[in-house]
Amino acid sequence: MNKIKSKVTSILRWLQPGLGVKRWILAILLGTTIIAIGLAVFVIDLYRGTPENWWLTLVSLATLRSLPRIVRVIVFEALGTGIIIWGVIGLNRSLLGPFLRPGHTIVDRLEKYQSRKHGPKIVAIGGGHGLATLLRGLKGVSHNIYAVVTVADDGGSSGRLRESLGILPPGDVRNCLAALSDDEDLLAQLFQYRFTNEDGNLKGHSFGNLFISSMAEVTGSFEQAIAESGRVLAVSGRVLPATLENVNLIANIRRPENNEIERVVGESKITETPGAIQQVMLEPGNPSAYPDVIQSLLSADLVVVGPGSLYTSIIPNLLVKDIASAIRASQALKIFICNVATQVGETEGYSCGDHIRVVEEHVGSNLFDIIVANVVAPNKYHQNVEGVRIEDELQMKYNVYKTDLIDVENPWRHDSEKIAQTLMDLLRERTGPLTM
């Protein structure tokens, strides 16, 4: 009995709202009905014009002639509808079965796809591992994701390709594409693969960086290379460079030995230079934003800034003035996600308030509606991790939402699912009071 009930429930799931299936079942029913009407006209004409013989009795029994006409209509309509639905489900299983993972049903896959297809439009701004972590969580709730990444990286594989080929650095783009991929198994792992041969010219390069660089040569543009790479990885959303101009990141650093300000050019050199970062800037100083970034910000439901390296990932995006202006003009809910731990070479000893202060010093105040901060101290899980503390007085000036965001296995990072769930809860509660 339970097995039958489970089977019926499974079939009825095909008729639940939002799957986009019922309209096609009705179309099939309509077409079948029209064919049936034509066949019925032929059978009636044959039945009435044929002399009495043995097979007419069988036809009479098959058509339930002894029952009232309305009962016959209901019986045949129900039976026909059931057979059509059964056939459609069987056909879908045959066609889509090879593309489903073990343990997943077509309805599960379809339900998840439809819910994400109509999910909120989210713009996430940042770079590095922080943005990739955020995207892994967000792709489970929406297909309408726009990841905006900085293009000021000049170190490692990205820096070498930038110098030798003259293209924008693909590193952060690669990380975001892999994070947004619907299948982060083999293909995404290949995209992240880094060559380790000791003597070859490929040492230190990642396959994804080389792929994007090659695609830029083939398509003729960096932005088209990102789009085509996204199709290869079947990403849920888009990855957008903050600007298409060849920009460098410059920092003024106060050196500890003489307390003087030193100007350091190059993102990779900033974190290697001892001292406290005072200010960062882009060169050239006023680069144009990539137009698609502005469009996405102005039409977004949710704009998320962070987590990520404060000076080398987050602020470089906001220094593109058109981006900061578009964030202010957007009607979206604007959230800043504070890092859970400080970063050596950038934010040692920084509190949550220090992170906000630095952002405001660079791009002005009142940019965010809500500050989201982790309330669980990372040092409870790892003694070498310095957590970002939240000052009590911070809530007097800002709308601070405190919750558990930490990844227990990697206590210096956010948990993808926790952060995505928190953002969706805040978006749903936008017009109501926040629970502190």
Side-chain angles (χ1 to χ4, degrees):
M1 187 65 182
N2 289 335
K3 189 175 182 180
I4 296 175
K5 184 178 178 181
S6 175
K7 190 69 175 177
V8 171
T9 303
S10 176
I11 294 175
L12 290 178
R13 287 187 64 197
W14 284 89
L15 303 179
Q16 70 185 34
L19 293 183
V21 171
K22 296 188 294 298
R23 69 194 72 171
W24 305 116
I25 292 179
L26 290 174
I28 294 172
L29 285 173
L30 179 61
T32 307
T33 301
I34 293 173
I35 294 174
I37 291 173
L39 181 61
V41 170
F42 172 76
V43 172
I44 290 174
D45 185 66
L46 182 67
Y47 183 78
R48 289 175 177 174
T50 303
E52 189 72 28
N53 55 49
W54 64 271
W55 57 266
L56 290 179
T57 303
L58 296 179
V59 172
S60 179
L61 291 173
T63 56
L64 306 178
R65 191 175 179 185
S66 60
L67 298 176
R69 184 166 295 177
I70 185 64
V71 175
R72 294 162 66 191
V73 170
I74 293 173
V75 170
F76 284 119
E77 290 298 321
L79 181 61
T81 301
I83 292 174
I84 289 174
I85 293 176
W86 174 69
V88 170
I89 294 174
L91 178 62
N92 284 336
R93 285 202 180 109
S94 298
L95 294 176
L96 301 179
F99 306 101
L100 290 177
R101 294 181 180 179
H104 291 74
T105 66
I106 299 174
V107 181
D108 291 333
R109 186 76 173 178
L110 186 59
E111 184 179 19
K112 184 177 180 181
Y113 175 82
Q114 290 292 348
S115 65
R116 293 163 65 189
K117 178 182 176 182
H118 301 290
K121 186 173 182 180
I122 305 171
V123 179
I125 300 175
H129 294 291
L131 181 58
T133 298
L134 173 64
L135 296 177
R136 287 190 185 94
L138 291 179
K139 73 179 181 182
V141 297
S142 179
H143 275 167
N144 304 309
I145 302 173
Y146 296 78
V148 180
V149 299
T150 177
V151 289
D153 187 8
D154 67 343
S157 172
S158 292
R160 290 163 59 191
L161 290 171
R162 181 179 183 179
E163 183 178 354
S164 60
L165 300 179
I167 67 167
L168 294 176
D172 280 349
V173 171
R174 182 200 76 242
N175 284 330
C176 291
L177 287 173
L180 284 174
S181 174
D182 276 347
D183 186 358
E184 278 198 85
D185 293 334
L186 184 59
L187 192 56
Q189 288 179 33
L190 175 63
F191 225 63
Q192 296 286 58
Y193 173 77
R194 194 171 295 275
F195 293 95
T196 57
N197 50 319
E198 294 297 330
D199 301 321
N201 292 330
L202 294 180
K203 181 182 179 182
H205 281 299
S206 71
F207 174 83
N209 286 355
L210 297 175
F211 184 91
I212 295 172
S213 301
S214 302
M215 189 67 76
E217 293 286 335
V218 172
T219 61
S221 69
F222 187 70
E223 61 271 30
Q224 188 62 31
I226 297 175
E228 294 300 330
S229 300
R231 291 189 182 95
V232 171
L233 288 175
V235 301
S236 303
R238 293 182 63 191
V239 179
L240 306 173
T243 179
L244 294 178
E245 296 186 26
N246 186 18
V247 296
N248 286 305
L249 189 64
I250 301 171
N252 290 331
I253 299 179
R254 187 178 297 279
R255 298 300 298 268
E257 63 271 15
N258 53 22
N259 206 35
E260 292 183 355
I261 301 296
E262 179 180 345
R263 187 173 186 265
V264 179
V265 180
E267 182 266 343
S268 61
K269 298 181 179 64
I270 292 175
T271 54
E272 296 175 356
T273 304
I277 301 174
Q278 303 298 302
Q279 183 186 15
V280 292
M281 60 208 82
L282 294 178
E283 187 181 69
N286 190 21
S288 299
Y290 182 42
D292 287 6
V293 173
I294 304 303
Q295 293 176 14
S296 64
L297 285 168
L298 295 178
S299 59
D301 299 308
L302 174 65
V303 175
V304 184
V305 177
S309 301
L310 181 62
Y311 288 103
T312 55
S313 291
I314 295 176
I315 292 179
N317 288 296
L318 302 178
L319 289 177
V320 180
K321 294 182 180 179
D322 290 341
I323 292 180
S325 298
I327 294 175
R328 294 185 188 281
S330 176
Q331 298 300 308
L333 176 63
K334 288 158 272 194
I335 296 178
F336 178 82
I337 302 177
C338 188
N339 293 336
V340 298
T342 61
Q343 183 176 351
V344 176
E346 286 202 33
T347 57
E348 291 137 307
Y350 275 37
S351 66
C352 182
D354 291 329
H355 283 76
I356 303 302
R357 172 184 55 78
V358 169
V359 172
E360 291 185 344
E361 286 176 352
H362 283 82
V363 296
S365 59
N366 301 319
L367 193 64
F368 309 109
D369 299 314
I370 303 173
I371 311 300
V372 173
N374 173 62
V375 75
V376 177
N379 55 18
K380 290 186 177 181
Y381 303 110
H382 198 290
Q383 61 181 358
N384 296 325
V385 174
E386 181 186 356
V388 175
R389 62 183 179 85
I390 308 171
E391 308 95 316
D392 294 334
E393 60 272 17
L394 192 63
Q395 294 187 115
M396 299 175 63
K397 187 177 180 181
Y398 304 98
N399 193 358
V400 182
Y401 184 86
K402 298 182 290 185
T403 187
D404 176 12
L405 297 174
I406 204 167
D407 181 348
V408 177
E409 295 183 0
N410 301 289
W412 55 92
R413 294 179 182 171
H414 289 81
D415 182 280
S416 297
E417 294 183 2
K418 289 179 182 178
I419 198 169
Q421 185 61 52
T422 297
L423 291 173
M424 291 304 99
D425 290 343
L426 290 174
L427 184 60
R428 282 191 290 267
E429 296 175 6
R430 178 175 186 179
T431 57
L434 294 174
T435 304
M436 292 296 182

